[in-house]
Amino acid sequence: MARASTTSDAFNAVAEPRRREILSYLGETERPVGEIVAALRMGQPSVSKHLRVLRDVGLVRMRCQGRQKLYRTNAEAIRPLHEWAGTFERYWQHQLNRVKERAEAIVRHGSDVNPQELKEKK
Amino acid sequence: MARASTTSDAFNAVAEPRRREILSYLGETERPVGEIVAALRMGQPSVSKHLRVLRDVGLVRMRCQGRQKLYRTNAEAIRPLHEWAGTFERYWQHQLNRVKERAEAIVRHGSDVNPQELKEKK
DNA sequence: ACAATACATACCTATATGGGAATATGTCAA
DNA sequence: TTGACATATTCCCATATAGGTATGTATTGT
């Protein structure tokens, strides 16, 4: 089996750096394709194709205005990504807490704290 | 140019669903490969290969113990992902705020609020 | 030394990619 | 209608996958 299609979900779509750039560039501000091309210095067909992928997974919304098409990021579609990553938040918070506790201990008792006491607390 | 390597960064590594499963399954708990294979019902070589990718981008850490190798998720490496997605948080908060404001307005003035007033505020 | 165990890697194949160039489609203006 | 403009799509190609099967490599126990 080959790699999953880029259009299979937001995770795959967002794996491509240029697509992330596009999403960031368009905040939720509507912009025509040409503006993206100019701002991000990419080829026009390339941008069109990236936008196609993003649209397929709902990461951008599109609206026609005369001969141009206006795109904007649909932030809501990025949320699952944020939430998935967020499930690991508690782990790096442990890290932070350790650093914080250590700093506080130093403030209270001076810098001669036993490092072991803060390191392993299985 | 082809698609970027899965080992090029966390975004690409995490695009594959099975790799996300592995990361979630290992929280930061150390586990041998065989346990992953059994728990997630994947082929052993497949798991080994996924772990290789994850290791290459720092998403998991590995330690040898006799003939087995213990893996655990390195949550810190997921953080950039969480942060990138988080830059869009303000957009979906706007959504929430609108809903919330509307609800509060109804509580204050009854349900005859002018919907326009809450909808467009360019 | 040998067999068994726990992983890793090599090999194969179908499939999809992203970029560039060329071309198609659609819309406006004179 | 014709041409100019804004996008989308097609074609071409080098590259990389993910899964399965088979095999390689350490490490342990007897």
Side-chain angles (χ1 to χ4, degrees):
Chain A
M1 195 190 279
R3 220 201 287 206
S5 161
T6 54
T7 57
S8 52
D9 57 36
F11 285 93
N12 277 282
V14 153
E16 168 65 41
R18 325 307 300 268
R19 283 196 283 267
R20 261 174 281 149
E21 286 180 43
I22 292 176
L23 290 174
S24 295
Y25 175 63
L26 306 172
E28 276 188 334
T29 311
E30 279 189 331
R31 290 188 199 284
V33 178
E35 215 165 302
I36 306 176
V37 169
L40 305 186
R41 310 289 197 70
M42 312 192 207
Q44 175 264 310
S46 189
V47 169
S48 276
K49 279 181 283 187
H50 284 312
L51 287 170
R52 185 76 174 116
V53 171
L54 293 173
R55 209 152 82 81
D56 282 350
V57 296
L59 279 164
V60 299
R61 288 283 149 74
M62 191 260 269
R63 183 170 70 89
C64 294
Q65 188 191 54
R67 47 184 135 177
Q68 49 191 6
K69 321 219 171 173
L70 305 177
Y71 286 84
R72 66 180 177 76
T73 295
N74 174 31
E76 199 60 38
I78 301 180
R79 237 177 137 168
L81 231 151
H82 187 253
E83 269 157 21
W84 180 81
T87 60
F88 297 88
E89 198 168 12
R90 56 190 174 117
Y91 296 125
W92 66 67
Q93 280 188 352
H94 279 182
Q95 278 284 102
L96 280 182
N97 287 344
R98 264 179 263 155
V99 172
K100 198 174 144 202
E101 279 165 23
R102 180 160 175 67
E104 289 170 357
I106 290 174
V107 168
R108 279 198 307 276
H109 307 112
S111 51
D112 58 337
V113 203
N114 178 5
Q116 284 314 50
E117 166 192 332
L118 300 156
K119 222 193 277 173
E120 287 283 25
K121 215 181 59 181
K122 271 270 169 52
Chain B
M1 197 191 280
R3 222 204 284 208
S5 161
T6 54
T7 57
S8 53
D9 58 37
F11 285 93
N12 277 282
V14 152
E16 167 65 40
R18 326 304 302 267
R19 282 196 285 267
R20 262 175 282 148
E21 286 180 44
I22 292 176
L23 290 174
S24 294
Y25 174 63
L26 306 172
E28 274 187 338
T29 310
E30 280 189 331
R31 290 190 200 283
V33 179
E35 215 165 301
I36 307 175
V37 169
L40 305 186
R41 310 287 196 73
M42 313 193 207
Q44 175 265 309
S46 188
V47 168
S48 276
K49 278 181 282 187
H50 284 311
L51 287 171
R52 185 76 173 115
V53 171
L54 292 173
R55 210 153 82 81
D56 282 350
V57 297
L59 279 164
V60 299
R61 288 284 149 73
M62 190 261 268
R63 184 170 72 88
C64 294
Q65 188 191 55
R67 48 184 133 180
Q68 49 191 9
K69 320 222 171 171
L70 305 177
Y71 286 86
R72 66 181 178 76
T73 295
N74 174 32
E76 199 59 40
I78 302 180
R79 238 177 137 168
L81 232 152
H82 187 253
E83 269 157 21
W84 180 80
T87 60
F88 297 88
E89 197 167 13
R90 57 193 173 115
Y91 296 125
W92 66 68
Q93 281 190 350
H94 279 181
Q95 279 283 101
L96 281 183
N97 287 342
R98 264 180 261 156
V99 173
K100 197 175 144 202
E101 279 166 22
R102 182 162 174 67
E104 289 171 356
I106 290 174
V107 169
R108 278 198 308 277
H109 308 111
S111 52
D112 58 337
V113 203
N114 178 4
Q116 286 312 52
E117 167 192 332
L118 300 156
K119 223 192 279 172
E120 287 281 24
K121 214 181 66 181
K122 273 263 175 53

